[in-house]
Amino acid sequence: KEKGGRTMNNFAESLRAQAAEQARAWDVPSLSICVVQDGKTLLCDGIGMRDNASRPADAQTLYQIASCTKAFTATAAAVLATEGKLDFDTPVIEYLPAFRLNDRYATENLTLRDFLSHRSGLPRHEYAWYGTGFSREQLLKNLKDLPLSAPIRYRFQYSNFNYLIAGAVIEAVSGEKFEDFLKEKLLRPLGMERSETYLEAMRTADNVALPFDHDREYTMTGIRQIPYYRSPAENAEAMVGDPTAAAGCICSCASDMEKWLRFTLNRGRVGDVQLVREDLMDLIASSHIDTGDGGAYGPQRAMTSYGLGWSLYSYRGHKMLEHGGNINGFTSSTALVPDLNLGVFVSANMNVTLLADALVQQTVDMALGETDGNWFARLKAYNQAMFDNVVSFFAAFGGQAVAGTKPSHEMAAYAGTYEAPGYRRFRIEEADGKLTADFNTFRVGLRHHHYDTFATEGPIGELPAGLTLTFAANPKGEISTLSVTLGSEKGLQPIVFTK
């Protein structure tokens, strides 16, 4: 059968060759890739070495798919809705009576549909969960202290907290841990036998990809192994998973993701079983809030919006569902083009690489017979520009340093523990006239920026370079607060930590 001027065999051979070539060019150790169309599998395999040495990746090699999990979470909720146990438009507080946000109206009116489409008004508040060690229950309690940065249903604001809440609703309605419900009620019925919902199960499994990053932060060359992400709250013996599992816990492989692509293209049907009602699958794939223009992907990608666990686009005039995922050492992308009956999954064991996106776009173009995308070169340049923007973005918070200034106090006066509701403490330590910040599980050095403002410096681990911390004194002249901007959303004010 012809696809874009190629036979299916030639299609697979060409895509495999391009993927292998680009993995070498991008310094990516390995790729997991699956393409299905019209009920047939065009390609399902691993490419490269899963440990960057001697063990090749294959169709069974596990990768962390991170936020590609979000579409699974929305579909897991749809399983409960199909059973008549849950409604997407019932206020969440009716399922979680103790649920509280930092706004009464939002608390009383936000629904599961709102959280799954990232239109709750909650900004990322990434450092209120990432690396904190807070349990799932504690994170839910902390929500009342985290300020919203937009009215509800006003604008798209991507936040993993939205999916923490969705996962809590699924747990409350099902009576099961989220991870267990997801595996038993969705993954296993689809035949996804290799896939795991507890990250520890992947870390200890056979045939897994190891996580890698490039040699230096915010660069795209070199390969170095890094540790798997591990939340301090996890406890393998007690079967306590990552607190934000509903936002990105799934570990999967090409052969299992093939089943997920088929199921979604079949609008919730597995064989003769309609696991999820078709109207609910349509709801998941329908636009709920605008997300802006196509950005670096335009003009091919336009009319961008977000559904429930999927980003939605018009791609060369075709409706396209897509979602990316990134976690320490892994980057993934899953995409569907329903009117072509086409599904694509790509995962790379490299941190923050747009090669996964580029391969998805290239695959869709090959199916369409289009050749003007130039995706590998375009997205490689955009990847580096994105890194450069991150550096300049955080540096901009401190602005241009005022020359000739000095701190108002001796260095030891800034030392101490600073706390803010909803966040883990900042511990500032002083030694030999230098300050160090210990925040969540991250420890970084601080350099003087100007006046009583200091900036993070390398080695920086999980905190970006140039993040500025501004200290202030109380009426007695004692250093008493530390303020820091921990997000990029419009309307989000600096978080003030009190000594």
Side-chain angles (χ1 to χ4, degrees), residues 19-20 23 28-33 45-48 57 63 346-349 355-356 359:
V28 168
S30 73
L31 296 162
S32 178
I33 185 166
D45 206 353
I47 293 168
Y63 292 71
V346 179
S347 189
N349 59 334
L355 177 56
L359 280 165

Side-chain angles (χ1 to χ4, degrees), residues 380-433:
K380 191 173 186 182
Y382 180 63
N383 207 149
Q384 186 58 61
M386 183 173 68
F387 287 156
D388 295 341
N389 288 339
V390 170
V391 175
S392 59
F393 173 78
F394 283 101
F397 281 127
Q400 182 65 40
V402 179
T405 64
K406 63 181 183 179
S408 62
H409 292 62
E410 297 296 324
M411 288 296 99
Y414 299 92
T417 299
Y418 299 75
E419 297 179 341
Y423 280 81
R424 193 172 173 86
R425 87 290 180 275
F426 254 105
R427 180 174 292 135
I428 305 299
E429 299 173 351
E430 182 271 336
D432 300 324

Side-chain angles (χ1 to χ4, degrees), residues 2 88 104 115 127 133 161 192 269 282-283 353 427 491:
E2 295 292 327
F88 282 93
R104 180 177 176 179
F115 289 112
Y127 290 110
F161 271 107
M192 298 177 68
R269 180 174 290 275
D282 292 342
L283 177 72
T353 176
R427 180 174 292 135

Side-chain angles (χ1 to χ4, degrees), residues 242-257:
D242 186 281
T244 57
C249 69
I250 292 178
C251 308
S252 194
C253 58
S255 62
D256 272 11
M257 291 299 290

Side-chain angles (χ1 to χ4, degrees), residues 61-133:
T61 303
L62 289 175
Y63 292 71
Q64 291 182 238
I65 70 170
S67 286
C68 290
T69 299
K70 289 181 169 66
F72 287 85
T73 298
T75 307
V79 170
L80 289 171
T82 298
E83 295 173 352
K85 299 175 181 178
L86 178 151
D87 182 82
F88 282 93
D89 294 316
T90 295
V92 160
I93 195 170
E94 294 192 23
Y95 298 113
L96 305 171
F99 174 69
R100 297 292 183 276
L101 291 175
N102 195 237
D103 179 277
R104 180 177 176 179
Y105 184 80
T107 299
E108 294 176 350
N109 289 277
L110 283 170
T111 67
L112 187 60
R113 185 197 294 249
D114 296 318
F115 289 112
L116 290 173
S117 60
H118 296 296
R119 62 183 194 187
S120 67
L122 262 175
R124 280 183 178 265
H125 284 300
E126 214 78 317
Y127 290 110
W129 66 267
Y130 186 73
T132 62

